[in-house]
Amino acid sequence: MKGTLGFTLAEVLITLGIIGVVAALTIPSINQKISLNKNITSLKKTYSVLQQATLKVIAEHESPEYWTIADNDQDLVDDIYNYYKPHFNIMRECQNAPGCWGYPTKYLNGNVYWSNHVAGYYQYSFTLVDGVNVLLDIYDAGNSRSFGANVDYPCPVFWVDVNADKLPNQIGKDIFAFIITKKGLQPAGIDIDDEDGDCNSGGNGWTCTARIIRDGWTIKYSD
């Protein structure tokens, strides 16, 4: 009588152990790729939403060059938000208060930009129905140029956190900037070459938005 073919308990345990090791090595990278893909999809959608809203706002309130824009003025930030509000599907509004933005907010290099909410920031934060957190702020001329746009005047800026309150809350990874200029809504970094921006491991990450779009909606960082 021929013997029955099969696996010993030791062989089964060894095989399961190998499968477990392979899974432990590959699942994190798979999850990271899925997360990046979700962030890019959300960024594309939010860019479209902001762009369409900006076109409507300009049609209703003329070009931003005719708006009253100045840094450190909550009333002006509120006015700009109210221009946009009818064109957004909003789940919650926080104005200049906690609840619609994740802290701490970090630069791409890991340093902290905003450690927590401070009333003196003069911002307006809100959450869209798809869960994207948005923060509206006004930056003066010097800071506006830091967004990689050829401007010499104060500009409103939309910061978007594409995965809501989830980590890493890091500019250039899940937080991206769009600047409103006389040309309309522009991704931060639009007017500079990638090598001149700060989308690198040691940088702030402010100019990553335009780079991601130029790179075919993929996230790449300079050395």
Side-chain angles (χ1 to χ4, degrees):
M1 183 176 179
K2 295 181 179 179
T4 303
L5 295 177
F7 298 100
T8 66
L9 178 60
E11 290 172 331
V12 171
L13 292 175
I14 291 172
T15 302
L16 291 175
I18 294 172
I19 293 173
V21 171
V22 172
L25 293 174
T26 58
I27 288 177
S29 62
I30 292 173
N31 287 340
Q32 184 179 29
K33 185 175 182 179
I34 291 173
S35 179
L36 287 175
N37 288 339
K38 286 182 177 179
N39 287 351
I40 289 296
T41 300
S42 182
L43 178 60
K44 282 184 181 180
K45 180 179 178 181
T46 306
Y47 181 26
S48 177
V49 168
L50 293 177
Q51 197 169 44
Q52 293 301 314
T54 299
L55 291 174
K56 293 176 182 177
V57 167
I58 290 175
E60 295 167 350
H61 301 280
E62 299 187 287
S63 171
E65 63 188 292
Y66 300 111
W67 302 352
T68 301
I69 301 174
D71 195 7
N72 298 326
D73 191 317
Q74 187 64 45
D75 289 338
L76 295 180
V77 173
D78 293 353
D79 287 343
I80 296 171
Y81 172 74
N82 287 324
Y83 289 170
Y84 276 86
K85 182 177 178 180
H87 308 297
F88 290 144
N89 292 320
I90 297 172
M91 180 170 65
R92 61 184 178 185
E93 299 174 87
C94 298
Q95 198 189 34
N96 192 20
C100 298
W101 192 258
Y103 297 98
T105 301
K106 297 181 180 180
Y107 294 119
L108 185 58
N109 60 24
N111 294 332
V112 174
Y113 182 29
W114 297 312
S115 58
N116 50 47
H117 175 268
V118 176
Y121 284 156
Y122 307 103
Q123 300 167 336
Y124 204 116
S125 60
F126 56 97
T127 304
L128 301 175
V129 292
D130 58 1
V132 172
N133 287 337
V134 183
L135 188 147
L136 173 64
D137 202 348
I138 297 175
Y139 286 77
D140 63 23
N143 281 319
S144 293
R145 287 190 292 272
S146 297
F147 287 97
N150 293 331
V151 296
D152 56 2
Y153 46 85
C155 291
V157 173
F158 281 115
W159 291 100
V160 298
D161 189 337
V162 295
N163 64 355
D165 300 324
K166 298 178 182 177
L167 297 175
N169 291 333
Q170 201 162 357
I171 299 168
K173 289 190 176 181
D174 59 341
I175 295 175
F176 304 94
F178 296 89
I179 184 168
I180 308 169
T181 74
K182 297 174 183 178
K183 299 177 183 178
L185 181 82
Q186 296 188 298
I190 188 65
D191 291 327
I192 60 172
D193 295 330
D194 291 338
E195 57 268 23
D196 296 326
D198 59 12
C199 192
N200 56 69
S201 58
N204 292 343
W206 287 25
T207 63
C208 285
T209 314
R211 175 168 186 169
I212 288 169
I213 296 172
R214 283 195 292 262
D215 287 339
W217 294 102
T218 58
I219 297 180
K220 299 177 182 178
Y221 306 112
S222 301
D223 296 332

